[in-house]
Amino acid sequence: MTTVGFFHADDYADVHAASAAAEMAGGGVVLLPPGVTLVDGTVELGSRCVLRGFGKASVLRLADNTATAAAPVPLVRAKADTNYVGVEDLWLDGNKDNQSDTGFQSPGVDF
């Protein structure tokens, strides 16, 4: 497996690019740096890809007003027809109090 690298916190585009690079390499580890990383969409992982953090120091958080009851947004999802996908050593925060429909809870992980 190849480590794809660190990216800047609060940058969904970097998370997406790192995930895509890992998938294109045939699998890899996407490292989530310490701190809070905000995403305004679902992080999709391909086969043999792992999203890995640094324990309690790494938080993947859904950005404010991203999910609604009509459009739930999971934080992490395995792409269709994938195998061996993982999420390790990080906290997932759906940020429920700051979503458009506070009565609805998006799934954190959709595998």
Side-chain angles (χ1 to χ4, degrees), residues 28-104:
V29 177
V30 177
L31 290 175
L32 190 71
V36 176
T37 299
L38 294 174
V39 293
D40 60 1
T42 300
V43 175
E44 291 189 318
L45 299 173
S47 288
R48 295 177 174 80
C49 293
V50 175
L51 181 63
R52 182 178 295 150
F54 290 84
K56 291 181 181 181
S58 298
V59 179
L60 183 65
R61 179 176 294 155
L62 192 61
D64 292 355
N65 298 313
T66 301
T68 66
V73 178
L75 283 168
V76 181
R77 174 176 34 221
K79 289 187 173 183
D81 300 320
T82 58
N83 296 302
Y84 309 109
V85 175
V87 177
E88 302 174 349
D89 258 350
L90 60 101
W91 288 85
L92 300 175
D93 179 2
N95 194 13
K96 181 180 177 184
D97 291 340
N98 294 307
Q99 298 307 317
S100 299
D101 183 353
T102 58
F104 181 78

